Each structure stands twice: as structure tokens, then as C-alpha cells.
Amino acid sequence: MSIIFDSETQTFHLQTKHTSYIMQIVKSKYLVQVHWGRKVRGTNPGSLLAYRKRCSFSPSTDPEDLAISLDTLPLELPAFGASDFRVPAYQVQLDNGTTVSELIYESHRIYPGKPRLEGLPATYVEEDGEAVSLDIVLSDKLIGLKAILTYTVFRDADAITRSVRYVNESGGNMRLLRALSVSVDFPHPDFDMLHLHGSWARERHIERRPLTTGGATIESRRGSSSHSVNPFVALLSKDADEDHGDVYGFSLVYSGSFLAQAEIDPYSTTRVVMGINPFDFAWLLEPGEAFQAPEAVLVYSAEGLGGMSRTYHKLYRTRLCRGEYRDKSRPVLVNNWEATYFNFNADKIEEIAKVGQQLGLELFVLDDGWFGKRDNDKSSLGDWFVDGNKLPKGLEDLVERVNKLDLQFGLWFEPEMISPDSELYRAHPDWCLHVPGRRRTEARQQLILDYSRQDVREYIVRVVSDILASCPISYVKWDMNRNMTEIGSALLPPERQRETAHRYMLGLYEVLERITSAFPHILFESCSGGGGRFDPGMLYYMPQTWTSDNTDAVERLKIQYGTSIVYPISSIGAHVSAVPNHQVHRTTPIEMRGHVAMSGNFGYELDLTKFTEEEKAIVAQQVATYKELRPLIQFGDFYRLLSPFEGNETAWMFVSEDRSEALVAFFQVLSKPNAPLAKLRVKGLDPDKDYRVVEVEVADAEERLFGGDELMNVGLHLPQWKGDFRSRLYRFIAQ
């Protein structure tokens, strides 16, 4: 881990354990990229950067050196309008209406540690020795714009973070029209692009496609990171797969609308940019004001997608997630939503909790419907007081009844929303996002509170805190069930209306910081109709996310596999639900449902009182097995073995850091007639160790001894099954 500046060659060399990121100052002006990829020991000044004069359609900015054209230089923070015709990283508009700017190198500073980002989530260090940071100041003195680029390299992760702070040092106003966080230029176009896409109940499916001339754009305009796309893209060499080849990952620590774009130019170079979506965005900078862009986390891997994923997993689990539960095992829970929906009372909740105690569960979560007059989804969001009809003795009585069963108690909230049919809306109809005179479009019969307003934030912090302080609550599910429309604020002046969506995110982050800090003993789980806001920004405040409202075991194979491309297993909420499944009406065995859900933060979301005695025995065994394997699953290294996007079988595994223990989960969706014999090669073991292998939860399972090299290079015989929807767990213990 180091950052070295060579004053002779004017180069910055950022080094992690296995990667290098090199920049150079050209003509004492332009900050350009030279290399990002495999680690190199040093640099040869003659080989750093090559450029030559192009045609007149790539104009030169230096009459003394016609080879210098911003249209061909790999700039670190490119702008449009001063001869670079490619996609820009930023754009600023002056009071005279012009949008031309040109940032040149001014100074730099190298220092230990990592700075915090004002008002924004970001990765962090716990001591300065864990990282080294670099600030590079670029300025356009003609217009008074300054940009401070901040880079950090980590001691224990092959990751580099980057963010930008834009400062108005002029005597007049300027408006940021585009303020992206990162721009990287590659010297060739030979990449595939991988991203995660989907919809509600079908989140984070993997799509890989070749980059072609013109490139590709991934973006959300929904006011959240969204179910549709995720704030992540990767460029892959053509030969890259799960274990081999060059992979370049870009992940944005932000929860609002975003843009990720890869563009191939006429000279076959590739530019990737990422940041806040400039669509419908503008930010007024008055003299002396600054704008902080979110952090982008860059990961290069020479070991394919798996190597990239494990870097993100460890960094995000240990240096993005925070709080007591960062390194703490997550409880096995039961949630009453699919068991009761809105139709419950204290006695019914206690009945479910009693069975949960018998089966070994640790936490009961009361979902939607406990507040206001909430008998359906048409009312009461914003009225955060207990419904006396359902809970006549109050929340305190119910929590006490659950706690007496030796279960912790958790509660569902949706604090960012307001129902038109609510006491809060009748008192404050201007508290929602809206545009004067326009229809207030509803989704799920609700509107969105305007978190850009301080009075709204103060109200939410107060009422949520009052509930959390009223009784022993150990868990909160924080939901958000619609995207933004009519994005406007009653308190912002006309020239700042296009700041509303980002000010909302800043307001949300403030609220989350205040509430989670005030209640550090509570495990917070984020949710947005399931996985509609599964992003690094939310993980900073809440160390796990409800992965999808779709709990079907077959669908969850793709959802959880795709989620693991970036996000650690400790962040993935996964539950067993009833069959036929409520989302797709498929019936799968409880064994498979359990094995899929055990590959994350485990729980149940059904009416436990309806289990047969046979089902209760199976569930009790699942819970006991998961508790024994929980540290390995939640905090082990994760390896993907067989992809559900490529075939009928899926497999993945968890390996302890010291490689003394491993768990393999294998799933077969449909039965095959007269199927061939097959073996499964595993990963991540110590080739010099022997492993005792046993089939988990199989009565009288035979224990067999294998060499780690044999398991990885020859493989494990797979079972021959009759019947659809089958699964098995294999536990490996080093001898």
C-alpha cells in the first residue's frame, strides 16, 4: 500500500497489494491516466503515455505541440466544450450562460488515513495506518472553479476509492449541471460490460454484453438506485470468467438516481464515467460554496469476477458497514407479513412467536399494520402511533409477551412515506414531494415525504425515536415502497428545484445517521419493496438489506447469485416462505427453501402455527444447522460454482478465512431423465490439506475424506435425484 509522487516524471503511482493506478501531469497542466491494472514496480518515463497529432477534427490546445488534444488524452476529470468531444465527468454553467471550462493541475497532498465525506456515506478506516490518501487540486482560474479529487488505497484490500469536491471560488454564482464521481479511460475497446438489472421481485439479474462503438449506458431516473438497475458496472476482458481474466469494477456509494456510462470513441479507446445522474439535476453554487460528489469504489481483479467480488465483499462488510452488528452474527427471525398481512392482533402474534421459540428462532418481527388505522395499504403512513384496535394494551405489552418467550422483538417502519389518508397529511399537505398545480401521483396509495425539509426530518426522527425508546426493540426493517414523481419542494426557491432529489438523499442520510447512532443496539435492515435500494449507500447505515419480496426458492437462486457479484453475504436477507409461493405460486420442498435461505441472513416469513409436526422437525433441524454454520456463512469467503443463469444447476460455497472449514450448497431445479454422472469442482480450499466431507442434514450421512487438491481439481460426485427442486449441503472440515 503506497502512493508515490515522482517529481521528475510528474507521475502519481497508487499501489495496493496486487494493483497499480498511475497518473501523470502532462505539460504541467493536464492530469491523465496511464495505467490501472496489474501491479508494476516502477515506471519508465518514455513508456508512460503515447500521443500523436490527429486530424483537425481533434483540435489541439497547444500551438507549440499539435499532438496535445483533449479529445485524445485520457483525462482524469474531463469536461465538454474545450476540445474533448467524449462524455464529460462534469459540466458547469456560469451566470452568462456559457458552459465551457478547463481544469488544470494546481497542487496535491499525500497523507495517511482516509477523510470522511461531508453528509455522504463512504468507506472508512479505523486507524490511519489502514490506508493512504491523495488529494489533487485542479482549477480553472478564469472562472474560479476548483475540483479536489480524493483517492484512497487500502492496506488490506485491492480497492481504490475516488470522489470529487467542486468548489466555487469566483465572485458570482455558477451552476453544476453534471458532477460525476469518476472517469477512467482505457486504451482499447476489447471489453464485455456486466451489470445487474431486473424489476420488482426479479432484482439483480446478471447481464453481460460486448461493448460496441458508441458504448452503453446504465442509469436510474427513479430517485433511488432502483430494482431496475444497480449502481455497479464491470468491464471484463473477452476471456474473463468467474476465476480468470481481467475485471474492472465500478461501484457507487449512493442511493439515488445514478448514471454509469461506457463510451468507445473513434480511436478505439473506452471511457467509463459514473456518478449522480445529471438528468433533471442541477446544483447552484454561490460564491464560496462547495458540492461533494459521492464516492466510487474501483476494484481491479486478475482473477475474474470471483476475485473482484471477494474484494468488494470484504471491504464492504468490514469498512462500509458499521455498528455493533458489523461483525456480529445476525439472529434467525420470523416475520409475520406473509402469515397475517394486515389481519392480526396481539394473541395471533404471540401464537406465532410461541412456535418460533419451540423451533429455536431468536427474533420476532412485526411487519406492516401496527400503527394508525392501518387495516390495508390505503392509509396511515406518517401516523407513527400504535393502533389501539389491534394492540389495545399497546406495543409495550406485545413486546413483553414476545420477550418472555426468550425472543427479541423487531418492528417494521416506512418513515419516508405519507398516506393522503392520514392525520399527518391532513395537517401538513405540503410536506410531500409535489409541484404546485400538478397531480400528486400515488403509488401503493402513498406519497413521498420531502426529506429535503428540516421540519420533516425533525418530525421523523422524533416519532421514530419515541417508538424505539418506548420498549425493548432489537431490530428495525426500514421500508420504502415507491419511486419519485413530481419531484419538487415547497421550501426551495425556483433556481434550486432541480436540487430536490439529491437534497432528499442528503436528508435521508442525515436521518439515518441520527437514528442509527441513537440506537446502536438495534439491527437495522433496509428494504425498498425488497431489493429496490440494495446499494452501498444504504449499507453504510444498515448492514443488511431485504434482498427481494420474491421468496420463491427457484427465483432466489438468480437473485442471490446476482447480488453476490458486489454485496457480501452478511448483507443478504433471505427467508423461507409458504407454498404455493405468494409471488409466483410455485411449490418447492421446505428443504430447498431452507437451503436457499440459509445462504444469507436466515429467517422465516409464514405462519409457523400451520406447520405439521414433520415440518416442525425439519425447521428445527434447519435452525440448529444454521446456527452452527452461521459464522461461516455470514463472514466466510464466498465462491460461485455453478450459475443459475447458465443451466439447471446452481452451486456456491463458503470458506473460512483460514481454509479449515467450508460449506457447499448445491441446487437442482428440474429432474433429468437418465442423467449423466457429474462432478462438482469446488474452490478456495487448501490443496495440501485433507477434508472430512459430510452431507449436512442427511441422517446417517457417510463421512468421506478427500484431499483439498482432489476436491478442487477432480471434484465431488453429485447426487442422482428423481423429482424437481432438490438441494443438498456439504460440510468440509480440515483434518
Side-chain angles (χ1 to χ4, degrees), residues 329-335 359-365 475 523 525 544-547 551 556 560 569-577 590-606 608 611 615 618-631 633-634 697 729:
S329 292
R330 314 293 165 76
V332 184
L333 64 84
V334 59
N335 181 299
L359 300 178
L361 274 62
E362 299 162 314
L363 168 67
F364 181 90
V365 178
Y475 166 102
L523 171 59
E525 178 179 85
Q544 65 187 56
T545 300
W546 179 227
T547 311
T551 50
R556 271 300 187 108
Q560 291 175 208
I569 301 304
S570 62
S571 69
I572 295 175
H575 297 170
V576 175
S577 62
I590 195 167
E591 291 87 353
M592 182 180 183
R593 283 177 277 153
H595 292 160
V596 174
M598 289 163 70
S599 299
N601 294 320
F602 188 42
Y604 293 84
E605 191 157 331
L606 38 66
L608 301 178
F611 275 148
E615 288 173 327
I618 293 172
V619 168
Q621 180 61 57
Q622 287 179 345
V623 173
T625 298
Y626 184 77
K627 287 180 178 179
E628 184 177 356
L629 297 171
R630 176 163 50 188
I633 293 170
Q634 294 183 354
E697 298 178 324
L729 301 180

Side-chain angles (χ1 to χ4, degrees), residues 246-472:
D246 295 330
V247 177
Y248 301 85
F250 299 79
S251 177
L252 187 67
V253 187
Y254 189 62
S255 308
S257 298
F258 73 93
L259 170 78
Q261 189 171 359
E263 179 185 66
I264 298 176
D265 75 2
Y267 301 112
S268 295
T269 65
T270 303
R271 173 171 290 175
V272 178
V273 297
M274 175 179 269
I276 295 173
N277 199 328
F279 177 83
D280 201 38
F281 166 86
W283 195 272
L284 179 63
L285 285 179
E286 296 181 354
E289 289 186 338
F291 179 86
Q292 178 63 60
E295 178 174 273
V297 181
L298 281 57
V299 170
Y300 165 76
S301 168
E303 298 176 346
L305 279 167
M308 180 205 70
S309 295
R310 285 184 289 278
T311 297
Y312 276 121
H313 291 178
K314 185 174 182 180
L315 180 66
Y316 282 179
R317 180 173 59 82
T318 65
R319 291 299 181 266
L320 177 68
C321 296
R322 302 178 300 162
E324 291 184 12
Y325 279 92
R326 185 191 72 179
D327 304 316
K328 191 175 179 181
S329 292
R330 314 293 165 76
V332 184
L333 64 84
V334 59
N335 181 299
N336 73 297
W337 178 240
E338 290 194 12
T340 67
Y341 293 104
F342 295 101
N343 185 25
F344 63 84
N345 56 33
D347 291 340
K348 177 60 179 176
I349 296 303
E350 187 176 17
E351 287 178 15
I352 297 174
K354 283 181 179 178
V355 180
Q357 177 204 37
Q358 297 166 9
L359 300 178
L361 274 62
E362 299 162 314
L363 168 67
F364 181 90
V365 178
L366 180 62
D367 211 282
D368 195 357
W370 58 268
F371 54 92
K373 299 177 181 178
R374 185 79 164 170
D375 296 323
N376 51 51
D377 60 9
K378 297 180 181 179
S379 73
S380 301
L381 290 173
D383 297 343
W384 298 110
F385 51 84
V386 175
D387 183 347
N389 292 324
K390 292 179 184 175
L391 304 175
K393 295 184 179 180
L395 193 61
E396 296 87 344
D397 170 71
L398 178 61
V399 174
E400 182 180 3
R401 290 161 72 171
V402 171
N403 287 164
K404 282 183 178 179
L405 297 170
D406 199 25
L407 293 175
Q408 300 175 64
F409 186 86
L411 199 59
W412 178 96
F413 286 89
E414 194 172 2
E416 297 169 65
M417 300 295 151
I418 184 170
S419 300
D421 182 9
S422 67
E423 293 184 17
L424 182 64
Y425 188 80
R426 284 185 281 274
H428 300 284
D430 63 331
W431 274 17
C432 66
L433 294 177
H434 68 281
V435 173
R438 289 288 178 190
R439 173 192 66 237
R440 300 185 179 189
T441 303
E442 296 179 20
R444 201 175 182 248
Q445 292 81 49
Q446 60 196 50
L447 301 168
I448 303 179
L449 283 170
D450 181 2
Y451 268 45
S452 74
R453 296 177 56 139
Q454 185 68 38
D455 51 358
V456 170
R457 299 197 299 273
E458 293 298 333
Y459 169 80
I460 290 298
V461 170
R462 176 174 58 81
V463 295
V464 171
S465 297
D466 286 348
I467 292 290
L468 296 182
S470 68
C471 47

Side-chain angles (χ1 to χ4, degrees), residues 29 128 271 371 452 620 632 659 732:
K29 289 184 177 182
D128 285 348
R271 173 171 290 175
F371 54 92
S452 74
L632 175 62
R659 298 193 286 180
F732 299 19

Side-chain angles (χ1 to χ4, degrees), residues 81-242:
S83 77
D84 188 348
F85 297 101
R86 296 165 294 176
V87 57
Y90 77 96
Q91 186 178 41
V92 63
Q93 184 178 42
L94 306 182
D95 274 347
N96 63 13
T98 62
T99 57
V100 177
S101 64
E102 185 174 298
L103 291 170
I104 63 172
Y105 170 81
E106 181 177 296
S107 63
H108 72 272
R109 179 173 71 102
I110 300 171
Y111 52 96
K114 185 178 190 294
R116 295 176 62 91
L117 294 192
E118 182 180 345
L120 287 168
T123 56
Y124 61 89
V125 296
E126 292 187 336
E127 57 182 42
D128 285 348
E130 293 181 9
V132 179
S133 295
L134 164 68
D135 290 345
I136 301 179
V137 179
L138 308 178
S139 65
D140 184 333
K141 296 188 181 300
L142 179 65
I143 65 173
L145 175 66
K146 179 175 287 187
I148 300 99
L149 284 70
T150 298
Y151 304 79
T152 297
V153 297
F154 294 88
R155 180 187 64 201
D156 300 322
D158 282 320
I160 297 171
T161 64
R162 172 177 146 156
S163 61
V164 189
R165 186 173 178 85
Y166 299 90
V167 184
N168 179 5
E169 294 191 338
S170 75
N173 293 338
M174 59 178 64
R175 188 182 303 273
L176 280 173
L177 305 179
R178 186 181 187 94
L180 303 186
S181 298
V182 66
S183 176
V184 175
D185 284 6
F186 296 90
H188 65 85
D190 302 322
F191 294 109
D192 289 345
M193 184 178 189
L194 184 145
H195 74 104
L196 306 174
H197 72 98
S199 67
W200 174 81
R202 189 169 42 81
E203 297 92 338
R204 287 170 304 286
H205 283 206
I206 297 172
E207 181 175 83
R208 177 174 177 171
R209 52 179 165 163
L211 273 186
T212 58
T213 302
T217 298
I218 307 301
E219 62 179 327
S220 169
R221 297 183 295 273
R222 295 174 172 267
S224 74
S225 50
S226 85
H227 299 83
S228 303
V229 286
N230 196 264
F232 163 81
V233 295
L235 295 192
L236 288 67
S237 60
K238 294 294 185 179
D239 63 342
D241 58 20
E242 187 64 29

Side-chain angles (χ1 to χ4, degrees), residues 551-596:
T551 50
D552 172 64
V554 176
E555 288 296 313
R556 271 300 187 108
L557 292 175
K558 291 183 177 179
I559 293 169
Q560 291 175 208
Y561 189 99
T563 301
S564 77
I565 293 290
V566 189
Y567 302 104
I569 301 304
S570 62
S571 69
I572 295 175
H575 297 170
V576 175
S577 62
V579 291
N581 174 264
H582 290 198
Q583 289 77 44
V584 299
H585 301 281
R586 182 184 284 119
T587 297
T588 54
I590 195 167
E591 291 87 353
M592 182 180 183
R593 283 177 277 153
H595 292 160
V596 174

